[in-house]
Amino acid sequence: MSLLREAEKCLANQKAYAGLNAFITPLQRSGSWLDRVRDADARRESRSSKSPLDGRLIAVKDNICTRTLPTTCASGVLDKFTSPFDATVVNALEDAGAVVAGKTNLDEFGMGSHSIHSRFGPVRNSRQDGDEAPLSAGGSSGGSAVAVATEQCYAALGTDTGGSVRLPAAYTGTVGFKPSYGLISRWGVVAYANSLDTVGILGRKTSVVRDVFNVLNHHDHRDPTNLSPSSRSRISSYLATPPLSDRLTSRPLRIGVPLEYNLSELTEPVRRAWLRSLAHLEKQGHTLHPISLPTTKLALSAYYVLAPAEASSNLAKYDGVRYGTRAEGPDSEEGPNGYLYAKTRGEGFGAEVKRRILLGSFSLSADAMDNYFIQAQRVRRLVQADFDAIFSTENPLRASAIERQETTVDVLIGPTAPSTPPRLSSLLDASNQSSPLNAYVTDVFTVPASLAGLPAISVPVSVSDSTSSSQHGSENESSDTDTVGIQVIGQYGDDELVLKVGEILEHATFVE
Ligand SMILES: *[C@@H]1O[C@H](CO)[C@@H](O)[C@H](O)[C@H]1NC(C)=O
Ligand SMILES: *[C@@H]1O[C@H](CO)[C@@H](O)[C@H](O)[C@H]1NC(C)=O
């Protein structure tokens, strides 16, 4: 298919699936992008494509700055805001010939696990569980995931702070990759929690995700948290001995099965997909090793102290004076912290963002600091040490060697989320709104890799037998909720191996 026809199909799907609310700003039919796709077709004809992404439509989450389209972060404080510059990742995509396919819906400032906290309304999953009731698309990059799942674009960018790319991928049956922290530039990406934020990639296949990653994985001096060229070469020479191809062929992979991830709350399809993935890897000659990450139990609580603490200081700038939309009314009736600030922030931010700002401000306050923020930082270091103790490769960023467990592994395999997507109606129900803890627990398996900065991917793994669905002849039962997200986690910098193992699982067909 020509690139132009492919692009036209995406555009048609954006219209057809508008009800899913995946886009805040969709692509316009008019515009220079059509010419750019035609040019890419000509290049492809003459075998001079700029990259595998040349002429491809890539959707961008609406907390990543674009010069030509508004950037709203799904928030009332950024009403009609258009950035004066493009984020580094957007520039890199366009240099590779890709076209921005519009800006996708999200939880306000990336804060949420179901893409329901958006000023533009919730994102709806395209999948159904046999009933008509819409399901959660996961969050906060739910718009990007649904856009990919329904072929409204070729691939999409999201951001992942505690699981915001992996969870929507799991819920929509797509591939979602969070690279090692610091590999992809965050310049022009609106911050939620700086020490955790990572740009992530969503696609229908791991190979597409890898193509996008290769275009974005470069040093950027404008992002101070971006890995320096010298660290990059140190990591690649360190992990390249032996080279990845040899590591995969010379000996079987050692697959870690984290015992703490085997919660009694796992639903049946999740349990089944996990066991099938392990059996599949074992059948290919790889070996399974139960391992223990004892601090995992504390990771979620630590995350929900650290991320809001960073968010509360990041969002302090949206006061209607320096940044953000100013609320109508008299300027300052009660001094600099009075009327204008309170009104702007009170009207501009949604409930979930306010909740996290309050949580963060509290845990950073003098009385609470020692009990919450300092403890959470301690837990974060323990989570990192847990991972370093079980991976067979050393963490290239760790200064001193750490004592390893007897059993070490190359990658970990576990579920991405404890369950398949919940109904939107149950999440929007008032009684559940008052207990945000329900929503936070969804992140229990994604948060540990975020705290440790490790690469992790969620790939769709089939739970229905490839042979049985045709025999039973009941198409409506083998609906499209028949995959579960399985997560692969690797050592820092081992992104290529994580992608490779994701690919092995993604192609698996299970015949029992
Ligand atoms: C999880 O625990 C159950 C029993 O408690 C066991 O049957 C199952 O094999 C375990 N899953 C994994 C992946 O180890
Ligand atoms: C609250 O959420 C849980 C988990 O998603 C769900 O099982 C339950 O039915 C919801 N409660 C209501 C009243 O919708």
Side-chain angles (χ1 to χ4, degrees), residues 257 262 271 274-275 278:
V257 186
N262 196 356
R271 203 173 281 283
W274 189 12
L275 288 173
L278 296 174

Side-chain angles (χ1 to χ4, degrees), residues 280-325:
H280 181 70
L281 289 164
E282 199 171 30
K283 217 183 269 172
Q284 307 222 316
H286 305 300
T287 55
L288 306 182
H289 307 272
I291 54 104
S292 175
L293 300 163
T295 324
T296 293
K297 308 190 270 305
L298 306 175
L300 191 68
S301 322
Y303 174 81
Y304 278 101
V305 172
L306 295 172
E310 293 190 32
S312 71
S313 68
N314 273 325
L315 299 185
K317 58 180 169 282
Y318 301 99
D319 53 16
V321 178
R322 287 168 293 177
Y323 285 100
T325 307

Side-chain angles (χ1 to χ4, degrees), residues 114 419 422-423 425-433 438-439:
H114 297 287
S419 73
R423 297 243 169 107
S425 56
S426 77
L427 298 164
L428 295 167
D429 185 276
S431 61
N432 267 351
Q433 290 265 303
N438 286 347

Side-chain angles (χ1 to χ4, degrees), residues 336-387:
N337 293 316
Y339 194 76
L340 173 66
Y341 278 32
K343 195 151 190 293
T344 295
R345 292 168 67 78
E347 286 177 4
F349 289 125
E352 183 59 28
V353 169
K354 281 185 208 161
R355 177 158 33 235
R356 296 198 192 188
I357 291 176
L358 290 177
L359 266 175
S361 307
F362 171 73
S363 66
L364 289 176
S365 65
D367 287 346
M369 184 96 170
D370 285 348
N371 280 337
Y372 295 92
F373 190 71
I374 305 288
Q375 291 295 349
Q377 292 283 27
R378 245 178 233 139
V379 169
R380 183 174 190 176
R381 279 195 295 277
L382 292 174
V383 169
Q384 288 166 337
D386 268 7
F387 280 120

Side-chain angles (χ1 to χ4, degrees), residues 459-501:
V459 293
V461 167
S462 166
V463 282
S464 73
D465 300 324
S466 38
T467 49
S468 64
S469 55
S470 54
Q471 283 166 5
H472 291 152
S474 52
E475 285 98 0
N476 45 348
E477 255 176 57
S478 68
S479 66
D480 36 29
T481 42
D482 58 1
T483 69
V484 162
I486 290 295
Q487 185 178 213
V488 184
I489 304 175
Q491 177 59 292
Y492 186 88
D494 226 352
D495 298 60
E496 266 305 319
L497 180 65
V498 166
L499 288 164
K500 195 73 217 169
V501 176

Side-chain angles (χ1 to χ4, degrees), residues 39 55 72 77 80 101 149 171 206 349 377 379 382 385 456 469 477 512:
D39 292 346
T72 68
V77 297
K80 303 188 191 82
Y171 280 3
T206 306
F349 289 125
Q377 292 283 27
V379 169
L382 292 174
S469 55
E477 255 176 57
E512 280 172 342

